[in-house]
Amino acid sequence: MSDTYKVDYHIHSWYSDGTMKPTELVRRYYDMEYDMISITDHDGIDGVQEALIAGEALKIKVISGVELAVEHEGKELHLLGYQFDPENPKLLAKLEELRQYRDERNEKMLTRLQELGYALTMEDLKQRPGQTYIGKPNFARALAAKGYISSPSEAFEPGKLLESPELKAIGRKKISAEEAISLLKEAGGMAVLAHPMKIRKMGLRGSAEFWESLDSMLWQLKKMGLSGMECLYPSHSEEEVIKLVNLAGKYHLHITEGSDYHGDDLQ
């Protein structure tokens, strides 16, 4: 066994935009000798119970998780929620509302792509039987399957397709960071700021302006009840990790680690 305590608190299953079942993910991390994991699907917790049961069977610690896209002062943030009650009625009602917002966004994106000459249907966006969640990676996989691009990752290249001004202009309604943090806390959980270096409209990544903006944001989010920050993340440089850890210490935030694993090339 490994001498280090191995964790991954940011994993996506096929209940959002990942490609693997929760049980397959739990088995994968068990085989890699991880100690604790959380499956954090976008705006939904359909796979949580399945993952918890698999974790009990394999003797690997699995905690409830979710990833919520929220808005704060005109910026989109992602919050990771952990250790909440997956049967909390208020949380479940809000997740259903978020699902409706996403469905509305997807319809608009599909129509716009069709207008641009990409012959996709809603069925093309479903990559497995019974799929209910559709996110941007599903659009990317559908475009690749139809031969419009060579690989799903191409759809996310700057200025192209899903990153084009026409598609990026199509947003979806989001709840506020304050509401999301409150919702998670009321359900007995905690909120963690995901991949902070990816937040836009903060100034150039790594610049003095960026760090000042992040510092100010953390102060505000901490007052709302933020519990932690994802400091260890694949695209964070060593220098960025050190600065993030220092900021987490300044605001007494838990330091978390996550891979954002999707099971394919859309990392």
Side-chain angles (χ1 to χ4, degrees), residues 66-162:
V66 69
E67 183 171 8
L68 303 174
V70 304
E71 197 163 36
H72 178 67
E73 296 188 340
K75 302 176 183 70
E76 179 178 322
L77 316 178
H78 286 202
L79 292 177
L80 294 161
Y82 300 117
Q83 294 182 309
F84 50 81
D85 173 9
E87 296 180 3
N88 179 270
K90 192 172 178 181
L91 177 62
L92 290 173
K94 183 57 65 173
L95 292 175
E96 179 54 35
E97 190 178 315
L98 292 175
R99 189 191 303 274
Q100 291 172 13
Y101 293 163
R102 184 179 294 275
D103 288 347
E104 291 168 8
R105 190 279 309 266
N106 288 341
E107 289 283 358
K108 291 175 184 176
M109 284 182 60
L110 185 62
T111 298
R112 189 70 186 111
L113 283 167
Q114 290 168 345
E115 290 170 350
L116 291 170
Y118 300 98
L120 295 181
T121 66
M122 192 58 73
E123 285 306 308
D124 292 327
L125 304 177
K126 297 178 181 179
Q127 277 102 41
R128 67 176 178 87
Q131 181 178 330
T132 56
Y133 175 98
I134 293 173
K136 287 184 178 179
N138 299 108
F139 280 88
R141 294 181 188 120
L143 286 163
K146 287 276 191 174
Y148 291 120
I149 50 178
S150 58
S151 69
S153 59
E154 192 179 327
F156 295 98
E157 291 178 4
K160 280 194 172 184
L161 291 169
L162 303 181

